[in-house]
Amino acid sequence: MNKVLIAQDVYYSGESETEEFYISLLLNRDKGRYIVVYSPEGGMSIEEVAEKSPDLIFTEKLTRNGLPAIPDT
């Protein structure tokens, strides 16, 4: 992976409430692949989410070109 794109935080005034999400880019050294780990329950307490609601943590394997990998069968 040659680039990581970061979006700027943007908050809009109005009726919608601010939400936090968790996203992380990890390297699986055994397989030589990157993995995106994300959760809609995010914020800084991802460890608590993992303990209480592991079903709300999702992962996506990436190929070397940064595209989602085809699931292993």
Side-chain angles (χ1 to χ4, degrees):
M1 185 172 288
N2 297 327
K3 297 179 186 177
V4 176
L5 303 175
I6 309 282
Q8 178 182 353
D9 285 340
V10 178
Y11 294 97
Y12 298 99
S13 58
E15 297 182 23
S16 63
E17 293 195 25
T18 302
E19 295 182 60
E20 288 188 13
F21 300 90
Y22 175 85
I23 188 166
S24 179
L25 180 65
L26 306 172
L27 174 61
N28 180 335
R29 292 182 190 271
D30 292 336
K31 298 197 177 204
R33 288 186 179 172
Y34 288 97
I35 301 171
V36 177
V37 178
Y38 59 98
S39 176
E41 294 296 312
M44 300 303 281
S45 59
I46 195 65
E47 291 83 7
E48 284 183 35
V49 176
E51 286 180 22
K52 295 178 181 177
S53 306
D55 56 312
L56 294 177
I57 297 178
F58 304 95
T59 61
E60 294 291 333
K61 297 175 188 173
L62 300 178
T63 61
R64 291 187 185 265
N65 63 4
L67 298 173
I70 298 171
D72 297 329
T73 55

